[in-house]
Amino acid sequence: MVARVPFGQYPPARRTLLHLSDTHLLAGNRALGGRFDTAANLARTLEAAEATGIRPDAVVFTGDLTDLGEPEAYRALRAAVEPVAERLGAPVVWVAGNHDERPAMRSALLDQDASQHPITGVWDLAGLRLVALDSSVPGWHHGDLDTAQLEWLRGVLATPAPLGTILALHHPPLPSHVPLFDILELRDQGRFAEVIAGTDVRAILAGHLHYSTSGTFAGVPVSVAAATCYTMNLARAAVDVNGMDAGQSFHLVHVYDDTITHAVVPVVDAPTGDVFSAEWVERMSRLTPEQRLEEFSRKRG
């Protein structure tokens, strides 16, 4: 990985997260819906993420890790992701989604005793606090955060973290323009907003929608990662939106002192130019600011 050379006014990001969502693996590598090879699509996504050369502080999967909650599917997910995470030197944060089954997820993915208790956790990423919430409702597809989990979150947020807090959950607290998606939304969002109001929460990561979108909730930016398995074709009229085996992507989350950016990285094999390179960046780093502007103008011309 080439060291970042600062040419502008912003210093390098304090922390970086790799954000993926909705892998929907099935046992025996069965095709989802008879047409989507979710294992192959995950492998392509992980390969693309690793090819960026980033070394994230954590790899975050925001739910629907499997499609039916099968133990074998969770074991296949571990086999695919853990070697990559080890090479990246980053912990993996697993978030439960509406397609996941808590007992199997606990036993086959987390090496914990099987139970129906919400799957939550807190990670200290050298001053950046990452909190995983469990918005899944066993047996249903909408989301909810019960009173006990919200009170637990309130206690966690009572003490600010040096670099602030990022929350990760499956169901985004955002509206969708796609009809019927509101049936699957996070319920009772007002209670969630009340808990995070005035705290050090700087961003919320989510999935569930199978398309990338963003917004704000209770004044906090929300970033939704598209699925690795299949995505929703938003090029259609809203009433005719359906899934397609294209448009897969992941997010690179960069945490700065005063802002957090969420870059959508497409997983696509397409011809790419060669105007810029590590050698060009290294050469530019030896020039004065005025010489850099002149060189860049020549590049563009």
Side-chain angles (χ1 to χ4, degrees):
M1 180 176 65
V2 178
R4 183 183 185 277
V5 179
F7 294 130
Q9 60 191 295
Y10 291 100
R14 291 291 199 101
R15 304 290 178 268
T16 303
L17 306 179
L18 176 59
H19 177 200
L20 308 94
S21 200
D22 293 81
T23 49
H24 283 267
L25 291 195
L26 284 161
N29 193 26
R30 306 194 311 279
L32 180 63
R35 55 185 294 219
F36 301 115
D37 189 338
T38 60
N41 287 345
L42 172 60
R44 289 180 62 241
T45 303
L46 293 173
E47 181 180 0
E50 197 168 7
T52 66
I54 69 161
R55 291 296 179 266
D57 295 278
V59 181
V60 186
F61 285 82
T62 48
D64 280 1
L65 310 173
T66 68
D67 193 61
L68 297 174
E70 301 160 299
E72 183 183 340
Y74 286 116
R75 287 191 286 269
L77 182 62
R78 291 185 72 167
V81 173
E82 288 182 348
V84 176
E86 184 175 357
R87 289 194 295 271
L88 296 177
V92 182
V93 177
W94 302 110
V95 175
N98 51 285
H99 278 264
D100 291 304
E101 296 290 341
R102 289 173 179 171
M105 181 174 167
R106 282 186 176 278
S107 61
L109 189 62
L110 304 176
D111 293 329
Q112 299 176 1
D113 292 336
S115 79
Q116 282 287 6
H117 293 300
I119 298 172
T120 60
V122 180
W123 286 259
D124 179 3
L125 306 176
L128 175 67
R129 181 166 54 199
L130 178 62
V131 179
L133 301 173
D134 188 343
S135 59
S136 67
V137 180
W140 299 86
H141 287 295
H142 67 273
D144 195 14
L145 297 169
D146 62 22
T147 299
Q149 189 173 169
L150 288 174
E151 287 306 309
W152 170 81
L153 177 61
R154 190 191 304 274
V156 170
L157 298 177
T159 303
L163 297 180
T165 297
I166 292 180
L167 306 180
L169 75 165
H170 183 62
H171 298 79
L174 291 177
S176 173
H177 74 287
V178 180
L180 301 182
F181 271 36
D182 50 357
I183 296 175
L184 310 176
E185 70 184 10
L186 181 70
R187 302 282 177 87
D188 296 324
Q189 293 181 18
R191 298 190 307 152
F192 184 28
E194 188 273 329
V195 170
I196 67 175
T199 68
D200 71 341
V201 175
R202 301 180 60 190
I204 298 173
L205 310 182
H208 188 51
L209 300 180
H210 288 238
Y211 65 87
S212 296
T213 189
S214 61
T216 57
F217 173 74
V220 177
V222 180
S223 178
V224 181
T228 71
C229 60
Y230 70 87
T231 68
M232 304 306 290
N233 188 355
L234 298 187
R236 291 185 170 197
V239 295
D240 196 31
V241 167
N242 279 277
M244 61 179 179
D245 196 3
Q248 288 88 348
S249 64
F250 58 92
H251 286 189
L252 294 180
V253 182
H254 289 97
V255 179
Y256 299 88
D257 286 333
D258 299 319
T259 192
I260 298 177
T261 63
H262 306 261
V264 180
V265 184
V267 180
V268 61
D269 184 14
T272 304
D274 58 0
V275 174
F276 304 109
S277 66
E279 292 75 19
W280 184 80
V281 170
E282 196 279 329
R283 181 164 58 85
M284 286 281 284
S285 69
R286 300 195 302 268
L287 303 180
T288 66
E290 293 76 15
Q291 289 172 328
R292 291 172 187 168
L293 289 175
E294 183 178 348
E295 172 69 15
F296 191 73
S297 296
R298 282 200 297 266
K299 274 282 188 182
R300 291 188 62 192

